[in-house]
Amino acid sequence: MTGLMRAETLEIPEAAARLDGSRAAITDIATRMRMLSPPALVSVARGSSDHAANSWKYAVEIGTGLPVASMGPSVASIYDTKLNVSGLAALAFSQSGASEDIVALSAALRDGGALTVAVTNTPSSPLAMACDHTIDLAAGPERAVAATKSYVNTLLAGLRLLAEWREDAALHAALDAAPDHLGQALVADEQITNALTVAPWAVMLGRGPGLGIARELALKAAECCTMPAIALSAAESLHGPVAAIGPDTAVIAVGHGAGMDSSLDTLSSYGIKPLRVATAPLHPMLDPLMALPTLYLSIEQAARARGHNPDAPTRLKKETVTR
Amino acid sequence: MTGLMRAETLEIPEAAARLDGSRAAITDIATRMRMLSPPALVSVARGSSDHAANSWKYAVEIGTGLPVASMGPSVASIYDTKLNVSGLAALAFSQSGASEDIVALSAALRDGGALTVAVTNTPSSPLAMACDHTIDLAAGPERAVAATKSYVNTLLAGLRLLAEWREDAALHAALDAAPDHLGQALVADEQITNALTVAPWAVMLGRGPGLGIARELALKAAECCTMPAIALSAAESLHGPVAAIGPDTAVIAVGHGAGMDSSLDTLSSYGIKPLRVATAPLHPMLDPLMALPTLYLSIEQAARARGHNPDAPTRLKKETVTR
């Protein structure tokens, strides 16, 4: 059976390649960021886009040594705060570019003196109008409620901006290879599908740039499979929520590396052995991302096996209005 | 039955009053922050302390218009990043002050040029040694695995620093009244206890400064009641995870105000009516906090009703070592 979520997941490699059309805009913004030399950065986003912003935050912090603050839209939309952000740079991530609160915070950041950049799949959106610059995600129309290809392109666009800003040849090379690697990952993982089909609830573990990916997968599992799903830092999981994991909990770890391995060793001593997706290593900031096509397809299949239509999640619409 | 978690929850008002002993240190740090006039701030924390840092972030962003970045300890402990934070101020929150990764990131922030402040219940700890200044939480010895009085004092200390920094008389007055208000909240809420006793899983909703409180309650419910528990921004909940909420899910909303009310109206249209704790209004930045004694006692009772000892959560120790 082919539905929208599955079809759009299969388009991920070609959508990723299409991001090359936004390269000139990204180069221009990177040049301005080098000139500005901000003491800190701000991200603005909700939902899936905020999970992409979280991965971007780790990549920027590790790549530049500068902190990135995720600012809640309510600071502007509810609390009506006058911001004091002269000399800072702010990226607003939104597939639709239509959420009123994201637009309100972006406008407040621009009014407060920040260089503002809209990262959106809709370059004619109110968000793009409210920002100084725009990066077009060029993912193509997305009709599934569950964002897939636009989520991947959000991650890739943020990393390309970082690579341009820092003139990072290794990150550029990895991004050039990303569409091919994503193409190789277009197959569900049977073990993960089975675990998500029978489990009463799921825990997604990530670390560093994989934490935002884990959050996104928990959201996808909750909305498509109609099951409780929590994302945790693999390190944080040892601080408390591990108490609730039982033998039938689906536990899935995203990403590799020393930090993840040491946390998983501790979990293993409790008898918890998370499932992991094998991907060919590309670059530490990109590796968790490369697991996404496989995980989307696995969640999509599990949703159907549980008797849910992943293209019609309960109570959800494509665009959510919040203030 | 009286256990450690219950006994320490009942000590919250006197522990809160004891924080007055740290007032001179807080005043001194606030003076330095006014002189520094940082373009952005950084928080460093894990687990419960990180949930307190999240509430502090909202209060600082709303109160000053400056962004606060929550930096993941792994940026220093795993990725060994040289930080570029000259002129910024960083607060590191840790009850024990002993977590190696929190200490490593705090040291990296100081080496990178930030003004660093340890907020800890252990002023002789490695964290205090690694920072320029220390705020002693003065909560007294905490022996329960689930932090209660030290969590409340972390929130109060952060707000007192903000009040001193901004010379905010209304916030000072509210903080002066906090121990009395907390004393009035030392009673469990029967509806919430019952919901947490029978529900298969729980959702805690918050907004603005209430979001960190909701995260903390989800952690407490998971570790004490051995049940899946998720915290969501009341606004974010409309973006996806709402799909998984069923008629038997325990849904608890923390905090009040326009933003929370508009989100709850939408949830209500889906038939979801969260339980709320009634507290006398004190100050928008403090109101979610005032519900904590009631919620701790409710969770503690529900844990026992579910057959668990809240003082001996599965797999957990008082101090968690992560890197």
Side-chain angles (χ1 to χ4, degrees):
Chain A
M1 182 166 188
T2 300
L4 290 174
M5 182 181 174
R6 180 175 161 78
E8 289 174 358
T9 298
L10 297 176
E11 286 171 30
I12 284 174
E14 61 195 79
R18 228 169 13 239
L19 195 56
D20 278 343
S22 298
R23 188 70 178 265
I26 292 174
T27 307
D28 174 54
I29 295 164
T31 304
R32 290 167 195 272
M33 287 178 73
R34 264 201 304 277
M35 284 165 52
L36 181 67
S37 191
L41 294 101
V42 174
S43 73
V44 183
R46 273 205 191 285
S48 289
S49 297
D50 197 36
H51 302 154
N54 188 261
S55 289
W56 180 73
K57 165 197 172 61
Y58 273 94
V60 170
E61 289 181 346
I62 293 165
T64 71
L66 298 168
V68 181
S70 165
M71 210 172 222
S74 64
V75 168
S77 66
I78 302 291
Y79 298 100
D80 204 21
T81 310
K82 189 171 162 3
L83 297 176
N84 184 5
V85 287
S86 178
L88 272 56
L91 263 70
F93 300 88
S94 169
Q95 190 261 334
S96 70
S99 290
E100 279 172 41
D101 53 356
I102 301 292
V103 175
L105 179 56
S106 303
L109 284 160
R110 188 161 75 168
D111 291 347
L115 172 80
T116 51
V117 179
V119 183
T120 178
N121 205 31
T122 318
S124 60
S125 62
L127 180 64
M129 301 301 120
C131 291
D132 300 311
H133 304 280
T134 298
I135 297 175
D136 180 1
L137 290 175
E142 190 168 58
R143 289 160 303 157
V145 172
T148 53
K149 58 183 181 165
S150 70
Y151 179 73
V152 170
N153 274 21
T154 304
L155 291 161
L156 295 173
L159 290 172
R160 185 66 87 175
L161 176 63
L162 176 62
E164 290 277 3
W165 176 18
R166 304 300 289 184
E167 299 178 319
D168 182 333
L171 187 51
H172 273 308
L175 286 163
D176 291 343
D180 268 2
H181 275 245
L182 290 163
Q184 287 157 30
L186 287 174
V187 56
D189 179 304
E190 202 177 331
Q191 267 198 299
I192 291 176
T193 301
N194 290 345
L196 290 172
T197 300
V198 300
W201 71 292
V203 177
M204 309 292 183
L205 300 172
R207 187 120 202 221
L211 180 58
I213 310 281
R215 288 187 180 162
E216 176 61 9
L217 293 168
L219 186 147
K220 288 280 185 290
E223 75 179 37
C224 298
C225 300
T226 312
M227 71 198 294
I230 302 182
L232 295 169
S233 150
E236 293 279 350
S237 72
L238 309 176
H239 274 254
V242 70
I245 296 176
D248 52 358
T249 309
V251 185
I252 299 166
V254 182
H256 303 267
M260 179 59 94
D261 293 343
S262 72
S263 300
L264 296 192
D265 284 348
T266 307
L267 289 175
S268 179
S269 73
Y270 299 140
I272 299 167
K273 297 202 194 316
L275 300 171
R276 305 177 79 168
V277 181
T279 52
L282 182 58
H283 184 287
M285 296 301 123
L286 274 162
D287 290 343
L289 205 167
M290 293 302 131
L292 278 169
T294 296
L295 289 162
Y296 286 148
L297 293 173
S298 306
I299 289 171
E300 206 264 358
Q301 286 187 6
R304 294 190 187 281
R306 291 173 76 102
H308 302 293
N309 178 357
D311 291 326
T314 318
R315 298 173 178 144
L316 296 180
K317 290 173 289 195
K318 179 73 191 144
E319 281 168 28
T320 306
V321 177
T322 47
R323 68 176 282 269
Chain B
M1 182 167 188
T2 299
L4 290 173
M5 182 181 173
R6 181 174 161 80
E8 289 175 356
T9 298
L10 297 176
E11 287 171 29
I12 284 174
E14 61 194 81
R18 229 170 9 238
L19 195 56
D20 278 343
S22 300
R23 190 69 178 269
I26 292 174
T27 307
D28 174 55
I29 295 165
T31 304
R32 289 166 196 272
M33 287 178 72
R34 265 201 304 277
M35 283 165 53
L36 182 67
S37 191
L41 294 100
V42 174
S43 73
V44 182
R46 277 207 189 280
S48 289
S49 298
D50 197 37
H51 303 153
N54 188 260
S55 290
W56 180 73
K57 166 195 169 67
Y58 273 94
V60 170
E61 289 181 346
I62 293 163
T64 70
L66 298 169
V68 181
S70 163
M71 211 172 220
S74 65
V75 168
S77 66
I78 302 291
Y79 297 102
D80 203 21
T81 309
K82 191 172 161 3
L83 298 175
N84 184 4
V85 287
S86 180
L88 272 57
L91 262 69
F93 302 87
S94 169
Q95 190 261 333
S96 71
S99 290
E100 280 173 41
D101 52 356
I102 301 292
V103 175
L105 180 56
S106 302
L109 285 160
R110 189 163 74 167
D111 290 347
L115 173 79
T116 51
V117 180
V119 183
T120 177
N121 205 30
T122 318
S124 60
S125 61
L127 180 64
M129 301 301 120
C131 291
D132 299 312
H133 304 281
T134 298
I135 297 174
D136 180 0
L137 291 175
E142 191 168 58
R143 289 160 305 158
V145 173
T148 53
K149 57 182 181 166
S150 70
Y151 180 73
V152 170
N153 274 22
T154 305
L155 291 160
L156 295 173
L159 290 172
R160 186 64 88 175
L161 177 63
L162 176 63
E164 290 278 3
W165 176 19
R166 306 298 290 183
E167 297 176 323
D168 182 333
L171 187 51
H172 272 307
L175 286 163
D176 291 342
D180 269 1
H181 276 246
L182 290 163
Q184 287 157 31
L186 286 175
V187 55
D189 180 304
E190 201 178 334
Q191 267 197 300
I192 291 176
T193 300
N194 290 344
L196 289 173
T197 301
V198 301
W201 69 292
V203 177
M204 308 293 183
L205 300 171
R207 189 124 200 219
L211 179 57
I213 311 281
R215 288 187 181 162
E216 177 60 9
L217 293 167
L219 186 147
K220 287 282 186 287
E223 73 180 36
C224 298
C225 300
T226 313
M227 72 198 294
I230 301 181
L232 296 169
S233 148
E236 293 279 350
S237 74
L238 310 174
H239 274 254
V242 71
I245 296 176
D248 51 1
T249 308
V251 185
I252 298 166
V254 182
H256 301 269
M260 179 59 94
D261 293 343
S262 72
S263 299
L264 295 192
D265 285 347
T266 307
L267 289 175
S268 179
S269 73
Y270 301 141
I272 299 168
K273 297 204 196 311
L275 299 172
R276 306 176 80 169
V277 181
T279 50
L282 181 59
H283 185 288
M285 296 301 122
L286 274 164
D287 289 343
L289 205 167
M290 294 302 131
L292 277 170
T294 297
L295 289 162
Y296 285 148
L297 293 173
S298 307
I299 289 171
E300 206 264 357
Q301 287 187 4
R304 293 190 187 281
R306 291 173 76 103
H308 302 291
N309 178 356
D311 290 326
T314 316
R315 297 173 182 142
L316 296 180
K317 288 172 290 194
K318 178 74 192 143
E319 282 169 28
T320 305
V321 178
T322 47
R323 65 176 282 269

